[in-house]
Amino acid sequence: MPLSHPEMLQDDCAGVARAADVLRNGGLLGLPTETVYGLAADARNGQAVARIFEAKGRPKFNPLIVHVPSLDHVEELVELGAGAQSLAEAFWPGAMTLVLPSKGAVADLVSGGLPTLAVRIPAHPLAQRVLQAFGGPIAAPSANPSGQVSPTQAAHVAAGLGAKVDAIIDGGPCGVGLESTILAPSNSGVRLLREGGIAREEIERLVGPLADDLTPGRVEAPGQMERHYATNVPLVLGGEPQDGDIRIGFGPVAADLTLSESGDLVEAAARLFSVMHEADALARKTGAKRIHVADIPEVGLGRAINDRLRRASHPQA
Ligand code: TXA
Ligand code: MG
């Protein structure tokens, strides 16, 4: 069966060159970043961007994050105010996305017609090489079907999207493992739109208290949809596990899979989506009806981990 699988590319010169070609031809590329794998397309090509929504099966044209290799590229896309400038200096390249006034340099569909654009400079060396080779802005949501667990390995992208993605370039497992923290800086302060790979405390140390804007249901960010990141088998948070549960542990507890045996939140974040994929597969194999997750402390990256777990466990409509 030709065409039923995406083309798998390696982390080498030929792979990077081919990845850039796929983007130039209006194709979809599975692209590793330090947070999660992205489903990448040329942000200036409206048709390529439309294919992202089609491939993910997104119910709506939610706005996408645009990835660029450096700050001069950011300035071609958005207005960087003073507040944004200091955030950029502190946290880029890295797991932070800034929502800023758009200069209209990308396809309208990228920002769903909003006057603002979400931008990020990823730190992953392979993402940087592909961005350099391609030479333009890349729109990329997480490379999972809408509502499912985000991919932190090339194999997750292939399993979730199959031939809907033209090629996947394999950069190994993602180091951070959680999507970027999304901030909207303005003259009146910085709003937090999504908890993510950079802990709130770290950002507040630089800019002072963040205004929360995480209201569920208001869907400014699809990461804010109430049921998101879902496993196929229901996920149960905290309390006592029941007999027959697949148990996901944290710290030195008995478990089938562990987020971090030593109770390290950074390790837990990096492993979260992989462990959710594995728990789902294990439940399918053993016929388990529930996946039980141990309590995770609500500090640092624990906040973003709990945010993802709560959404994944929200009862299905
Ligand atoms: O780490 C990440 O952020 C990953 C990697 C691939 O970079 N990307 C990611 O994209 O998580 P996605 O599409 O799953 O989430 C993008 C988030 C959405 O929640 C979206 O609503 C928000 O960014 N967003 C994009 N543009 C926005 C805008 N103009 N205003 C408010 N939120 C925006
Ligand atoms: Mg996503």
Side-chain angles (χ1 to χ4, degrees):
M1 293 203 306
L3 298 184
S4 63
H5 297 291
E7 187 181 342
M8 299 302 294
L9 307 175
Q10 299 306 310
D11 180 355
D12 55 24
C13 290
V16 169
R18 175 74 189 126
D21 271 345
V22 167
L23 294 169
R24 256 176 233 123
N25 294 334
L28 297 187
L29 173 74
L31 176 72
T33 80
E34 70 277 29
T35 60
V36 299
Y37 274 71
L39 181 59
D42 182 348
R44 299 159 303 190
N45 179 337
Q47 225 160 318
V49 173
R51 288 189 60 212
I52 292 179
F53 293 102
E54 184 186 51
K56 281 186 67 92
R58 269 204 175 168
K60 291 200 294 192
F61 288 152
N62 290 312
L64 305 175
I65 297 170
V66 174
H67 302 72
V68 291
S70 58
L71 208 53
D72 46 323
H73 286 88
V74 170
E75 286 173 320
E76 290 171 15
L77 302 179
V78 291
E79 309 284 352
L80 259 190
Q85 190 83 40
S86 58
L87 284 164
E89 278 162 24
F91 298 112
W92 274 343
M96 173 188 72
T97 293
L98 294 180
V99 172
L100 294 165
S102 175
K103 291 184 173 171
V106 297
D108 286 338
L109 195 50
V110 172
S111 59
L114 293 171
T116 51
L117 188 68
V119 287
R120 178 162 100 82
I121 302 177
H124 196 293
L126 185 53
Q128 279 284 339
R129 285 168 64 209
V130 171
L131 280 163
Q132 301 281 359
F134 173 57
I138 291 179
S142 51
N144 51 299
S146 188
Q148 294 188 19
V149 178
S150 298
T152 54
Q153 298 175 24
H156 297 159
V157 182
L161 295 173
K164 290 178 184 155
V165 49
D166 298 296
I168 302 171
I169 186 160
D170 191 345
C174 303
V176 176
L178 286 175
E179 294 87 347
S180 58
T181 301
I182 305 184
L183 302 172
S186 72
N187 294 336
S188 52
V190 180
R191 285 183 304 140
L192 176 63
L193 301 185
R194 180 177 73 184
E195 307 259 20
I198 294 179
R200 170 189 200 126
E201 291 90 331
E202 243 189 284
I203 297 160
E204 291 190 326
R205 221 171 288 140
L206 181 77
V207 299
L210 296 172
D212 275 334
D213 206 346
L214 306 167
T215 334
R218 233 202 52 204
V219 193
E220 185 164 9
Q224 298 180 355
M225 280 198 279
E226 286 204 27
R227 185 173 164 84
H228 202 79
Y229 311 104
T231 47
N232 294 309
V233 175
L235 203 74
V236 180
L237 305 187
E240 285 300 309
Q242 294 175 4
D243 279 351
D245 283 355
I246 301 295
R247 288 161 309 166
I248 298 179
F250 178 77
V253 294
D256 300 291
L257 298 161
T258 183
L259 290 170
S260 168
E261 199 142 9
S262 64
D264 176 356
L265 288 168
V266 174
E267 184 187 16
R271 289 175 48 75
L272 178 65
F273 292 134
S274 270
V275 165
M276 285 167 72
H277 282 287
E278 282 174 48
D280 234 359
L282 201 56
R284 232 183 348 258
K285 211 163 76 190
T286 62
K289 299 281 180 299
R290 315 191 326 165
I291 298 167
H292 176 272
V293 190
D295 281 311
I296 313 288
E298 185 74 8
V299 292
L301 290 183
R303 295 171 190 276
I305 294 172
N306 281 323
D307 170 74
R308 303 303 188 271
L309 287 170
R310 276 192 292 270
R311 291 177 205 283
S313 70
H314 196 270
Q316 205 142 20

